[in-house]
Amino acid sequence: MSSETGLSPTSYIQHHLTNHTTSIGDGSFWVLHTDTLVMSLLLGVVSLGLIWLVVRKATSGVPGKTQAFVELLMEFIDDQVKTTFHGNRHVFVAPVALTIFVWVFLLNAMDFLPIDIMAWIYEHVFGLHNWRGVPTADVNTTFALALSIWILTIYFSIKVKGLGGWIVELVCSPFGKNPLLWPLNLLFNMIEYISKPLSHSLRLFGNMYAGEIIFMLLGMWASTGVAGTFFGAVLGAGWAIFHILIVILQAFIFMMLSVVYLSMAHESH
Amino acid sequence: MNINFTLVSQAIAFSIFIWFTVKFVWPYLLRAIEERQQKIADGLAAGERGRKELELASQRSSEVLKEAKQRASEVVIQAEKRASDIIEEAKQSARVEGEKIIAGAKAEIQHEIFSARESLRQQVAGLAVQGASKILHREVNAKVHADLLASIEAELK
């Protein structure tokens, strides 16, 4: 349980939703969410490092179990990318999909760690007050990912179609080349360009944030006594099992959307 | 829900991870998988080739066997024919030889008969001359009748 005094549902939830911050300058923008950064960097380095260790010794003969697992993962992602992206996917798109899937999945999976036990560990083992363990429940992470993909889509659009081709597409599609339609086309494309990263990032953020909140709400059953604790634990286990699906599904959806956006950038309309 | 510099740093981390995967993870794994695919394809092709060769070899061997059987039966037939020819020839030559022997024997017999008859005739003529000369000895002078005797003797010969 949280060590805060004067425990109320509001303070309990607020405690769990407060990021560990480090200020690096003046103003509210120049702030780092240390917890988000450390967790995501740790998970990214460990997961990709492990994959790299396996891949470095990859044999074309009979693979070991670990290599077989990594290959399974790779081929699963490669299959998904193959159906959507019709260029040379091995150069960029497929590795990006692998990165996103592995990383986002692990970031999401942090939700499985029991929130109060982890808070206690963070506080008493590492001396960190206010430490949020799920980086994808931080809107900065999901926006960072979505905007990176967004920038990549613009980059590839211009790279594939040329700057002129991209601008022509902005004003001439989807409704037609008629000059009267240009403002409408541009407006439509602007809405699309704004809505893509928003929906892309907020979908993941919303799901993970909501998952976290529900764990907290279930955790609050513990304040009603032994029976409530037991009830909350059973419900928490149920939600955790359901959450396995959400964690994988959201990582997969985020990856697929990234692939779809990158493919769309490669194709002219 | 406050946007701050975390976003930028997360984006940087993300791009580093992407760069790492693009550069160091994907190509190696892809190469291993593609090499294995090539190996499997080669293996399957080799297996297929072996199967075809086996089929061909068994076909060829059965052909050779058939030909050998045919040759063998031909040889047997030829040998039988040759054998019967030899027997026939032997029979033929034996018959010819026998006939020759028989003919020689017959000629010998004829000759014997002839010479026996000749000597018999000589003896008969001698005896007749002797008898006649004995009869005539008393009444006929041998010197007088020598012509007569000679003519009888010549007649008897």
Side-chain angles (χ1 to χ4, degrees):
Chain A
M1 282 292 112
S2 161
S3 63
E4 263 178 308
T5 48
L7 199 62
S8 71
T10 318
S11 71
Y12 170 75
I13 287 181
Q14 257 174 2
H15 165 71
H16 281 303
L17 290 182
T18 308
N19 282 105
H20 191 279
T21 53
T22 310
S23 189
I24 54 163
D26 293 328
S28 64
F29 180 75
W30 297 102
V31 169
L32 282 179
H33 287 167
T34 328
D35 44 7
T36 302
L37 268 180
V38 169
M39 293 301 282
S40 55
L41 285 177
L42 203 68
L43 288 169
V45 168
V46 167
S47 59
L48 292 175
L50 282 177
I51 291 178
W52 178 67
L53 281 180
V54 173
V55 160
R56 212 171 42 133
K57 290 179 287 181
T59 164
S60 60
V62 179
K65 285 195 174 63
T66 333
Q67 193 191 331
F69 173 73
V70 174
E71 279 178 15
L72 213 65
L73 182 68
M74 178 197 167
E75 281 180 358
F76 161 69
I77 285 164
D78 195 39
D79 277 349
Q80 302 301 326
V81 176
K82 196 163 35 183
T83 55
T84 317
F85 183 73
H86 305 293
N88 185 1
R89 61 187 183 280
H90 297 305
V91 175
F92 192 77
V93 178
V96 169
L98 177 69
T99 316
I100 292 173
F101 185 71
V102 170
W103 200 31
V104 171
F105 169 73
L106 285 172
L107 299 186
N108 291 351
M110 287 301 103
D111 227 354
F112 295 133
L113 300 176
I115 189 163
D116 287 307
I117 295 174
M118 290 314 289
W120 188 90
I121 291 174
Y122 293 138
E123 185 146 359
H124 292 96
V125 178
F126 299 105
L128 300 162
H129 191 60
N130 291 335
W131 189 270
R132 288 180 68 190
V134 189
T136 39
D138 182 347
V139 80
N140 285 296
T141 306
T142 59
F143 263 120
L145 290 166
L147 284 176
S148 303
I149 295 297
W150 186 69
I151 290 167
L152 281 173
T153 58
I154 295 174
Y155 166 74
F156 279 118
S157 287
I158 295 173
K159 192 187 170 201
V160 171
K161 299 153 198 161
L163 187 59
W166 181 58
I167 291 169
V168 165
E169 200 177 272
L170 276 184
V171 293
C172 291
S173 71
F175 297 120
K177 287 198 178 79
N178 194 323
L180 284 175
L181 291 169
W182 284 3
L184 193 60
N185 285 333
L186 190 62
L187 183 71
F188 195 84
N189 280 314
M190 283 302 118
I191 291 171
E192 194 182 324
Y193 266 106
I194 292 167
S195 65
K196 262 185 193 170
L198 273 178
S199 65
H200 197 191
S201 60
L202 289 179
R203 177 182 296 106
L204 179 60
F205 165 72
N207 272 285
M208 300 328 293
Y209 191 78
E212 222 183 4
I213 296 272
I214 287 178
F215 275 122
M216 289 172 205
L217 293 177
L218 292 173
M220 283 197 296
W221 275 95
S223 63
T224 59
V226 177
T229 307
F230 181 73
F231 187 58
V234 171
L235 283 181
W239 177 242
I241 291 165
F242 181 61
H243 209 55
I244 294 173
L245 190 68
I246 295 176
V247 160
I248 297 173
L249 196 66
Q250 286 306 319
F252 180 74
I253 288 172
F254 199 87
M255 176 197 84
M256 275 320 283
L257 279 174
S258 306
V259 173
V260 167
Y261 291 161
L262 287 173
S263 311
M264 280 163 72
H266 281 79
E267 286 157 9
S268 15
H269 301 286
Chain B
M1 198 175 138
N2 35 0
I3 304 285
N4 54 36
F5 195 68
T6 314
L7 194 156
V8 179
S9 37
Q10 287 286 70
I12 294 168
F14 183 45
S15 31
I16 291 171
F17 286 142
I18 287 178
W19 169 80
F20 181 77
T21 316
V22 168
K23 204 91 182 157
F24 297 108
V25 173
W26 196 267
Y28 294 98
L29 202 54
L30 188 71
R31 201 173 54 204
I33 288 176
E34 278 176 350
E35 267 173 27
R36 177 157 347 108
Q37 278 173 340
Q38 191 57 46
K39 269 186 195 171
I40 292 172
D42 287 351
L44 287 177
E48 184 63 22
R49 213 165 39 237
R51 210 178 56 77
K52 271 212 184 102
E53 264 165 26
L54 179 67
E55 216 169 77
L56 225 69
S58 70
Q59 201 179 320
R60 211 166 36 230
S61 80
S62 74
E63 258 169 34
V64 167
L65 204 66
K66 213 170 94 182
E67 205 178 311
K69 268 183 189 164
Q70 202 177 326
R71 290 262 314 144
S73 67
E74 269 171 24
V75 166
V76 167
I77 287 168
Q78 265 180 3
E80 275 171 0
K81 192 157 165 271
R82 185 93 189 88
S84 68
D85 279 2
I86 286 171
I87 289 168
E88 207 55 42
E89 241 169 63
K91 272 183 186 167
Q92 193 66 31
S93 66
R95 194 177 297 130
V96 168
E97 199 66 25
E99 272 167 7
K100 232 187 242 170
I101 289 167
I102 290 167
K106 271 182 181 164
E108 192 92 349
I109 290 164
Q110 213 67 41
H111 184 71
E112 286 294 319
I113 290 170
F114 187 72
S115 61
R117 192 183 284 157
E118 196 58 28
S119 70
L120 214 62
R121 191 181 284 147
Q122 293 263 2
Q123 279 173 4
V124 169
L127 280 176
V129 169
Q130 241 176 3
S133 66
K134 267 178 186 164
I135 296 167
L136 291 173
H137 205 64
R138 279 181 293 174
E139 343 168 332
V140 178
N141 193 349
K143 281 177 185 157
V144 177
H145 296 99
D147 293 344
L148 186 68
L149 283 174
S151 75
I152 291 170
E153 200 174 350
E155 219 169 298
L156 282 169
K157 264 184 192 172

